[in-house]
Amino acid sequence: MATSSIFANFNIIDSKKAEDFARALDISAKENSRKSAGRKNAFVSLPDEIKSLWAKRKEHK
């Protein structure tokens, strides 16, 4: 989805469309959480963790 579509204006005028929209948001949130839960490469900011990663990188060369 293009980022510009996130900021599009739209009107939901009946309850069926409101329910469908809420359901789509729930599905999207669940799919996103599943993808991020399985990520191996997490952001590392602690100095000791960074040093450990660099040491592992040098060992594999």
Side-chain angles (χ1 to χ4, degrees):
M1 172 172 41
T3 55
S4 61
S5 64
I6 294 171
F7 301 109
N9 292 328
F10 58 95
N11 294 321
I12 298 176
I13 55 175
D14 65 13
S15 62
K16 171 78 171 103
K17 288 183 181 180
E19 289 174 11
D20 290 343
F21 181 69
R23 189 175 303 113
L25 289 176
D26 288 339
I27 291 169
S28 177
K30 287 178 185 176
E31 287 176 356
N32 191 26
S33 66
R34 272 188 255 138
K35 288 179 185 175
S36 63
R39 290 180 80 182
K40 287 183 179 180
N41 302 332
F43 184 76
V44 178
S45 61
L46 298 175
D48 291 336
E49 291 178 349
I50 294 170
K51 289 175 186 175
S52 174
L53 286 174
W54 275 104
K56 287 179 185 178
R57 181 180 165 267
K58 290 182 180 181
E59 289 173 3
H60 291 291
K61 282 189 174 184

